[in-house]
Amino acid sequence: MLYDLIIVGAGPAGVAAGIYASRKKIKTLMLTEAIGGQPVIASEINNFIGFKSISGIELKKIFEEHLRHQGGTDLKEGVGVSKIEKKDGIFFVSANGENFEAKTVLIASGSSPRRLNVLGEDKFAGKGVFYCSICDAPLMKDKAVAVVGGGNSGFYAVLDLLPYASKIYVLEYSDVLRADPIYREKARNSGKVEVFTMAAVKEISGNDFVSGLKYEDRKTNEIKELKLDGVFVEIGYSPNSAIGSGLVEINQAGKIIVNHQTQAASCEGVWAAGDVADVLYNQINIAIGDAVKAVLNINDYLNKK
Amino acid sequence: MVKIYTTQTCPYCVMAKDYFKSKGVQYEEVDVSASETAREELIKKSHQMGVPVIDANGAIIVGFNRTEIDKALGL
């Protein structure tokens, strides 16, 4: 079957696109690992307009309910898109060994936690190295942990860990913490948090599970070691743009370059929205707005053909 | 027999449980943050300590991986 539109991803951008595409009666297929996207792991969201405070998982449920209530789009969950190719004006999208065809594609594949790429990180993934603080913080009861990254994500992890960990080290590569003052203050008031700036993590060590971390103090070039049981990596996100490589232009940060009026990418028939696109600010509100923009423009494009 | 190891706050655990419910799969939930024995059981089975871990008739699945779950349960 030839679809009018294939939407890759079902985070805030993908869901918004699905709802708008359905309302425009665009014959649409959505392909996603799971509905919800990145916000799912947020313990609390306080800036999604219309909701004073909501958890990521609650927001996911509301999005999903709206999408399913709207209906009208085909939705395939549990699939990862591996490739998008264009042949004779038609897009061929491969996912889990299956091929799907469409006249247009909206890439809303979001981003994933960025890895440290240091010795021991892979070996100890799940064995003390974690990327989801809200999931795994309760496992760190009475343990010493490090949070790598001194931005908001890092301090969200600190807040998730405060009820459990006995000691929390925050390691920040630069000389300044970028986290909002409100979070830094909460961390400071706990008395459990120790911050090291200019700290470059070099190695995560242990036997079966993590027992230590080595970092370079970039002020003195000294290698220092911390004894601990857990490392939470919170150093930002990498866009999931590999599926667009060779098809659309991607900037140095790995984001898909789009026309900011329409969200159209460099290849005719491809649009991108949400954190995978080269937006300056990654926000749920913005991802949704950009996805809506994209679908309205896709609708115009399909009607003109 | 399907057993899911969780923590109270873990969103992917909620998603996995919702998935079981939607497919009519009966499961037993073990909160590993509540007991040391449960944590040891989780580590013994999965050789790691992140959650969720799903024991689907002996197939150990780390994380909410629908493809793996479907395969293990023939869904």
Side-chain angles (χ1 to χ4, degrees):
Chain A
M1 174 151 76
L2 177 65
Y3 285 96
D4 289 331
L5 168 64
I6 288 177
I7 300 169
V8 182
V15 168
I19 291 167
Y20 265 69
S22 164
R23 291 174 59 81
K24 290 287 182 192
K25 304 261 181 237
I26 298 170
K27 199 163 65 173
T28 302
L29 170 67
M30 297 178 70
L31 299 171
T32 185
E33 300 267 5
I35 296 176
Q38 262 186 68
V40 161
I41 60 165
S43 39
E44 210 179 309
I45 299 162
N46 299 309
N47 59 4
F48 182 57
I49 304 310
F51 296 82
K52 291 186 283 289
S53 175
I54 187 165
S55 74
I57 194 79
E58 283 172 314
L59 188 63
K60 176 245 172 203
K61 285 186 175 170
I62 289 170
F63 283 172
E64 181 168 2
E65 200 187 322
H66 192 170
L67 182 68
R68 293 196 194 279
H69 172 81
Q70 178 62 42
T73 55
D74 289 345
L75 171 65
K76 258 186 123 54
E77 292 172 87
V79 294
V81 170
S82 52
K83 203 161 65 175
I84 305 170
E85 280 178 307
K86 189 181 186 182
K87 272 183 232 152
D88 303 325
I90 300 289
F91 292 95
F92 295 83
V93 179
S94 327
N96 289 31
E98 274 189 275
N99 271 300
F100 305 95
E101 296 170 23
K103 295 177 195 165
T104 63
V105 175
L106 170 60
I107 303 176
S109 46
S111 55
S112 305
R114 199 152 74 84
R115 304 173 71 85
L116 274 167
N117 291 323
V118 298
L119 206 63
E121 183 180 24
D122 286 341
K123 185 182 167 197
F124 294 111
K127 302 177 179 183
V129 175
F130 300 110
Y131 301 88
C132 174
S133 58
I134 189 175
C135 304
D136 300 314
L139 305 170
M140 293 292 117
K141 200 166 168 22
D142 303 324
K143 293 184 190 294
V145 300
V147 171
V148 184
N152 277 340
S153 301
F155 275 80
Y156 292 147
V158 169
L159 298 185
D160 286 336
L161 282 158
L162 273 181
Y164 305 102
S166 54
K167 176 85 196 173
I168 304 166
Y169 302 103
V170 175
L171 301 167
E172 165 59 40
Y173 184 85
S174 75
D175 60 353
V176 58
L177 297 176
R178 286 158 293 113
D180 292 343
I182 182 166
Y183 302 127
R184 299 205 313 257
E185 198 180 303
K186 274 191 192 164
R188 196 166 46 238
N189 290 345
S190 74
K192 281 185 188 178
V193 179
E194 200 171 334
V195 174
F196 303 108
T197 55
M198 294 289 278
V201 176
K202 291 291 174 196
E203 187 184 341
I204 298 163
S205 56
N207 289 318
D208 291 336
F209 293 91
V210 168
S211 62
L213 175 150
K214 280 190 189 132
Y215 71 94
E216 183 190 334
D217 182 336
R218 296 173 60 229
K219 287 170 291 227
T220 60
N221 297 328
E222 233 181 304
I223 299 288
K224 294 184 175 166
E225 196 167 356
L226 297 169
K227 295 264 168 251
L228 42 73
D229 303 286
V231 180
F232 287 77
V233 181
E234 300 288 351
I235 52 169
Y237 295 88
S238 308
N240 299 324
S241 59
I243 49 170
S245 70
L247 183 73
V248 292
E249 277 177 43
I250 293 172
N251 73 11
Q252 283 200 330
K255 293 184 162 209
I256 296 173
I257 298 171
V258 297
N259 171 330
H260 289 272
Q261 266 193 327
T262 62
Q263 302 295 127
S266 61
C267 168
E268 189 186 330
V270 182
W271 282 256
D275 289 5
V276 77
D278 67 336
V279 281
L280 206 46
Y281 306 106
N282 294 338
Q283 295 286 314
I284 301 171
N285 294 297
I286 292 173
I288 287 175
D290 284 352
V292 169
K293 234 186 336 179
V295 171
L296 295 176
N297 194 240
I298 289 165
N299 189 50
D300 288 346
Y301 175 84
L302 290 167
N303 286 339
K304 259 183 241 154
K305 280 205 111 180
Chain B
M1 224 307 257
V2 176
K3 214 168 176 180
I4 179 166
Y5 297 83
T6 64
T7 62
Q8 288 298 308
T9 52
C10 152
Y12 296 114
C13 303
V14 176
M15 287 164 75
K17 287 185 286 178
D18 284 349
Y19 185 58
F20 289 147
K21 282 176 205 153
S22 77
K23 295 281 175 185
V25 174
Q26 300 278 329
Y27 61 87
E28 183 195 334
E29 181 173 3
V30 181
D31 177 2
V32 299
S33 57
S35 110
E36 184 68 36
T37 330
R39 270 197 296 279
E40 279 165 16
E41 193 178 303
L42 164 80
I43 289 168
K44 208 173 142 204
K45 279 190 183 176
S46 70
H47 310 290
Q48 59 91 55
M49 52 181 156
V51 288
V53 165
I54 292 153
D55 178 346
N57 303 321
I60 306 299
I61 302 158
V62 179
F64 172 45
N65 183 328
R66 273 178 71 133
T67 315
E68 293 289 315
I69 293 170
D70 288 356
K71 218 193 300 170
L73 297 175
L75 294 176

